[in-house]
Amino acid sequence: MKKSPSFFKGIMSVFILAGLIFAHTAAFANTPETLAVLSFNINADKNLDYIKKGISTMLYSRLTCPEKVVVVPPKKMAALEAELKKFSGSDLVHETARRTGSRYVLYGTITSLAGTFSIDAKVFDTTEKQYMAFFEQSKNSDDLIQKVDCIAAAINHKVFDRTTVTWEQMEQEKQKNINKLKNQNPETLMQMPAGWQREEKVGWKVWKYLF
């Protein structure tokens, strides 16, 4: 039975529609996430504004990945934060996300005490209304940047599923410490509640709801 021209036109329309749907889906799947990095709060008995600026620039470069993550430029964030001084807490996070079109917002604090520095950072997923916390401690200001680099590596790996050179070095160092402890005192290692592995396996389970 000979097929009519309208039959072939219908088949072609189906293929064209399927192709358009596939192209749209692929484009959507490859759309990078957007991250806004708020300036870190500095709790110290002296002016450390230069550290605040350096950290923002460093996180911008460390977390940017054109295929996966677009980070709002520091200059744009600085101008925006001047307009957001009346906001705080979750209101600041969500208003920042709204104005920058970001799903993720990074917010942190550096506290100086007796020459040591503690770094607390949180990445908020404003779509799911949850966050993941990160922490590092520096014995002095000399390795503060290195510790911030470690936090950036952890964020890349745990939030955006990106493995960096710094992350690999951190894992190697952690494994060395495990092996050292195992050789020195295997009984103690056996009694440890799988803390090293549990931290990696938990991953997104450490997220806490904002509300």
Side-chain angles (χ1 to χ4, degrees):
M1 180 177 179
K2 187 176 180 181
K3 304 295 184 182
S4 65
S6 60
F7 173 82
F8 290 106
K9 289 181 179 180
I11 293 295
M12 288 299 297
S13 297
V14 170
F15 279 111
I16 292 173
L17 180 61
L20 291 174
I21 293 175
F22 176 80
H24 175 76
T25 302
F28 181 79
N30 293 328
T31 301
E33 299 288 0
T34 303
L35 168 69
V37 180
L38 289 165
S39 296
F40 275 44
N41 281 337
I42 307 291
N43 298 322
D45 57 2
K46 58 182 179 180
N47 190 323
L48 297 177
D49 284 346
Y50 71 96
I51 290 180
K52 177 186 292 191
K53 184 177 180 180
I55 287 174
S56 295
T57 302
M58 181 178 181
L59 289 172
Y60 172 76
S61 65
R62 294 294 191 278
L63 297 173
T64 294
C65 179
E67 299 81 11
K68 285 192 173 184
V69 186
V70 173
V71 183
V72 181
K75 287 185 177 180
K76 182 176 180 179
M77 285 302 303
L80 175 62
E81 287 185 77
E83 304 173 3
L84 298 178
K85 292 182 178 180
K86 64 179 180 180
F87 295 96
S88 62
S90 61
D91 291 336
L92 173 62
V93 169
H94 285 281
E95 186 64 17
T96 298
R98 187 185 70 81
R99 295 201 188 189
T100 60
S102 302
R103 173 176 176 173
Y104 297 96
V105 177
L106 170 58
Y107 184 65
T109 300
I110 293 180
T111 302
S112 174
L113 182 62
T116 63
F117 295 87
S118 61
I119 310 168
D120 297 276
K122 292 182 176 70
V123 176
F124 294 86
D125 180 344
T126 59
T127 298
E128 299 295 333
K129 295 183 179 179
Q130 55 191 11
Y131 72 84
M132 184 182 285
F134 301 86
F135 175 80
E136 285 285 346
Q137 193 163 28
S138 172
K139 295 181 179 179
N140 52 62
S141 59
D142 293 338
D143 66 344
L144 182 59
I145 296 301
Q146 179 185 356
K147 297 300 182 181
V148 174
D149 190 29
C150 290
I151 285 183
I155 292 172
N156 273 321
H157 186 79
K158 295 183 178 182
V159 178
F160 300 114
D161 195 26
R162 293 178 56 213
T163 298
T164 61
V165 173
T166 300
W167 176 260
E168 291 179 344
Q169 292 173 345
M170 290 166 60
E171 290 296 285
Q172 290 171 5
E173 187 64 28
K174 184 168 71 174
Q175 190 60 49
K176 287 180 181 179
N177 291 334
I178 293 175
N179 293 337
K180 182 179 179 180
L181 180 59
K182 182 177 180 180
N183 292 332
Q184 290 179 346
N185 195 346
E187 293 80 10
T188 302
L189 183 63
M190 291 294 291
Q191 294 172 3
M192 290 178 64
W196 296 100
Q197 295 182 359
R198 184 170 65 245
E199 182 177 336
E200 294 176 0
K201 289 181 179 178
V202 167
W204 291 88
K205 292 182 182 178
V206 302
W207 289 83
K208 304 291 184 182
Y209 285 100
L210 284 171
F211 306 103

